[in-house]
Amino acid sequence: MGIEEKLPSGVLLTTVEKVAGYARKVSVWPATFGLACCAMELFSTGGPRHDLARFGMERASNTPRQADLMIVAGRVSQKMAPVLRQIYDQMSEPKWVISMGVCASSGGMFNNYAIVQGVDHIVPVDIYLPGCPPRPEMLLDAIVKLHDKIQNTKLGASRQNEITELEQARLRHLPLVPETSR
């Protein structure tokens, strides 16, 4: 015998957080940052076979000020790292990052001085997408997972508390210093 049964039909109950989460989820505009072979798979995702437009993401931003999702596809060189950070800083809040491919996620097979060993050294990453190169279907799956994350993000002070709790939980589970037995 809740309030739902006393309301007339056609009345919808929700919270502001759920409405805002849904609005953010369906209005994600990507800023593509294609640096290597993964970019070909990224661009094919916008084609007719995979149709990125069904998620409302067909508008790729030419300016970072209109984007809220950065898709980093491919290896990031040391020279490109400051440019990537500048574009990330120019994006509007809230902003999200997908690291597409093993080179963007961990440097891939390029373990040398010229390549950044993971884009998470430059910008915070929300979704890591493995593969060399990852298929467009994998990118679509990552986008769906990011949409779920966006829709369930809290607002205001609750959001800051949620971020703090997640960071503390991660720090508790990470072995920062390996234990040695004596």
Side-chain angles (χ1 to χ4, degrees):
M1 295 303 285
I3 192 169
E4 299 87 13
E5 292 151 3
K6 299 198 185 286
L7 292 173
S9 97
V11 174
L12 178 70
L13 296 177
T14 188
T15 63
V16 174
E17 278 185 347
K18 288 184 180 178
V19 170
Y22 179 78
R24 284 182 178 169
K25 176 185 101 165
V26 298
S27 64
V28 175
W29 285 354
T32 57
F33 206 81
L35 298 168
C37 47
C38 289
M40 297 303 130
E41 300 294 327
L42 169 63
F43 298 144
S44 70
T45 308
R49 174 171 283 181
H50 303 289
D51 193 21
L52 202 55
R54 64 183 151 170
F55 300 108
M57 296 176 62
E58 69 275 6
R59 185 194 173 281
S61 297
N62 294 326
T63 173
R65 288 175 178 85
Q66 297 173 351
D68 50 7
L69 169 64
M70 176 184 278
I71 302 174
V72 182
R75 59 189 177 270
V76 180
S77 66
Q78 295 288 352
K79 280 185 164 184
M80 192 56 72
V83 176
L84 181 95
R85 183 61 199 203
Q86 181 181 10
I87 290 173
Y88 177 80
D89 290 338
Q90 290 175 351
M91 290 170 57
S92 60
E93 286 285 342
K95 49 192 165 188
W96 300 278
V97 177
I98 293 178
S99 175
M100 182 176 176
V102 70
C103 292
S105 299
S106 66
M109 64 188 107
F110 304 100
N111 189 9
N112 60 30
Y113 65 92
I115 302 299
V116 176
Q117 299 300 305
V119 75
D120 55 353
H121 292 284
I122 305 162
V123 294
V125 176
D126 294 295
I127 303 282
Y128 292 93
L129 185 58
C132 183
R135 298 278 307 140
E137 295 87 357
M138 294 171 68
L139 178 59
L140 292 176
D141 183 57
I143 289 170
V144 168
K145 289 178 182 172
L146 183 67
H147 281 177
D148 186 50
K149 182 177 181 176
I150 292 169
Q151 188 169 6
N152 295 320
T153 300
K154 298 192 179 294
L155 297 176
S158 300
R159 180 175 183 209
Q160 194 61 8
N161 292 340
E162 180 183 30
I163 291 170
T164 305
E165 288 173 12
L166 286 172
E167 286 177 355
Q168 293 300 323
R170 287 182 188 140
L171 286 175
R172 281 193 303 270
H173 288 81
L174 280 178
L176 297 178
V177 179
E179 295 180 26
T180 58
S181 59
R182 296 182 187 197

